[in-house]
Amino acid sequence: MKVMSTHEIVPPEPHSKGPDLRKTWAHLPRWLQVGLVLTIVVVGVLILFFVK
């Protein structure tokens, strides 16, 4: 049986880099993906229209 020494270097645990948006997007239903894309496009056009 190996006894751990206090001088042993233990690699750090990998940190999360946030949510995996590609995986989340792939799990959404197609109708929701289309709806979200259309909403983003419409909001972008409205922002450009009203900013001018």
Side-chain angles (χ1 to χ4, degrees), residues 27-40:
H27 282 91
L28 292 176
R30 180 66 60 193
W31 64 268
L32 189 54
Q33 291 178 359
V34 171
L36 287 172
V37 168
L38 286 175
T39 302
I40 291 169

Side-chain angles (χ1 to χ4, degrees), residues 19-28 33:
D20 188 357
L21 296 179
R22 287 185 184 154
K23 187 181 283 188
T24 304
W25 183 259
H27 282 91
L28 292 176
Q33 291 178 359

